[in-house]
Amino acid sequence: MKYTLNVYGWEGEFICKSLSNEQTKIIDDLKDSIGSDDYTEIRWDIEDNVDGFDMYDGDILHMSKPLNNGTTHFELYDQNDELVLKFGIEETTTTENDNEYDIKTSSDSNVYFSVDESKGGIHSYEIESDSKIYPFDFTWTEGLIFLPSGEFWSVIDSLQFRGEELEPFDHLDNYGKSSTLEIFKHA
């Protein structure tokens, strides 16, 4: 039988890209020109002021993943679109391994790091099974995004059903929660 698994909760779109020292100076000057200490205030103006800058071109990292913050939950629908199972992330287990994304600066490269958080629907997955499905049939792999500041983000990097990794086939509707931008400079 075919099923659809919908995932809900909080999601983060992470974009991390390299910045030259010259680009960083332009961004700093732009931030200073409006008298702000927060890069988020000028995020949407950077493309107009830095030649060739594409805020969605994450040459270091670009991913959209459910946040590992206890809000992720699932709804499983059968082929007749009837809800057959509803469960939370706490009813599943993590895999033994995690994926680490270590964001670093260098002497000639600073880092642009933005996060757009949203709430609501995240992804839909298609599943086939001839036997009853239980929450313990699902596992997930944690992803850790380590920042130069020493802070980190924890995400649900991948989802597996009975040991097989699932690939989303659709994105569900959600709405924005917050946007942040940080510029990490090489010390």
Side-chain angles (χ1 to χ4, degrees), residues 126-186:
E126 291 180 336
I127 296 171
E128 289 192 36
S129 178
D130 292 329
S131 59
K132 187 171 181 178
I133 298 175
Y134 298 93
F136 60 76
D137 288 322
F138 297 92
T139 55
W140 56 278
T141 302
E142 182 177 25
L144 296 167
I145 303 169
F146 293 103
L147 304 178
S149 63
E151 298 174 318
F152 70 93
W153 285 83
S154 176
V155 299
I156 298 169
D157 207 28
S158 63
L159 183 64
Q160 299 84 31
F161 174 65
R162 297 180 180 157
E164 297 294 321
E165 189 164 331
L166 297 174
E167 293 293 330
F169 80 91
D170 198 7
H171 297 277
L172 300 175
D173 291 337
N174 56 40
Y175 59 93
K177 183 181 156 309
S178 69
S179 291
T180 56
L181 170 63
E182 294 182 74
I183 305 293
F184 294 106
K185 300 173 188 172
H186 187 69

Side-chain angles (χ1 to χ4, degrees), residues 22-40:
E22 179 183 316
Q23 290 173 316
T24 303
K25 180 170 179 357
I26 294 168
I27 293 168
D28 280 343
D29 290 347
L30 182 61
K31 177 180 63 79
D32 293 344
S33 74
I34 65 164
S36 178
D37 291 331
D38 186 358
Y39 287 103
T40 304

Side-chain angles (χ1 to χ4, degrees), residues 55-160:
M55 68 191 302
Y56 293 105
D57 177 25
D59 63 328
I60 298 172
L61 178 75
H62 188 176
M63 67 167 63
S64 293
K65 301 285 182 175
L67 298 178
N68 182 19
N69 63 358
T71 63
T72 304
H73 57 281
F74 307 88
E75 293 180 357
L76 184 70
Y77 293 87
D78 66 15
Q79 57 197 20
N80 299 318
D81 288 329
E82 292 186 28
L83 180 65
V84 295
L85 183 64
K86 189 174 184 176
F87 58 99
I89 191 74
E90 69 280 356
E91 297 175 70
T92 65
T93 57
T94 61
T95 60
E96 292 181 17
N97 301 317
D98 59 20
N99 296 325
E100 296 183 358
Y101 305 92
D102 197 6
I103 310 303
K104 295 183 179 187
T105 62
S106 68
S107 59
D108 60 344
S109 180
N110 299 309
V111 173
Y112 169 105
F113 179 77
S114 68
V115 181
D116 291 320
E117 294 180 67
S118 57
K119 294 170 67 170
I122 300 175
H123 294 125
S124 286
Y125 299 89
E126 291 180 336
I127 296 171
E128 289 192 36
S129 178
D130 292 329
S131 59
K132 187 171 181 178
I133 298 175
Y134 298 93
F136 60 76
D137 288 322
F138 297 92
T139 55
W140 56 278
T141 302
E142 182 177 25
L144 296 167
I145 303 169
F146 293 103
L147 304 178
S149 63
E151 298 174 318
F152 70 93
W153 285 83
S154 176
V155 299
I156 298 169
D157 207 28
S158 63
L159 183 64
Q160 299 84 31

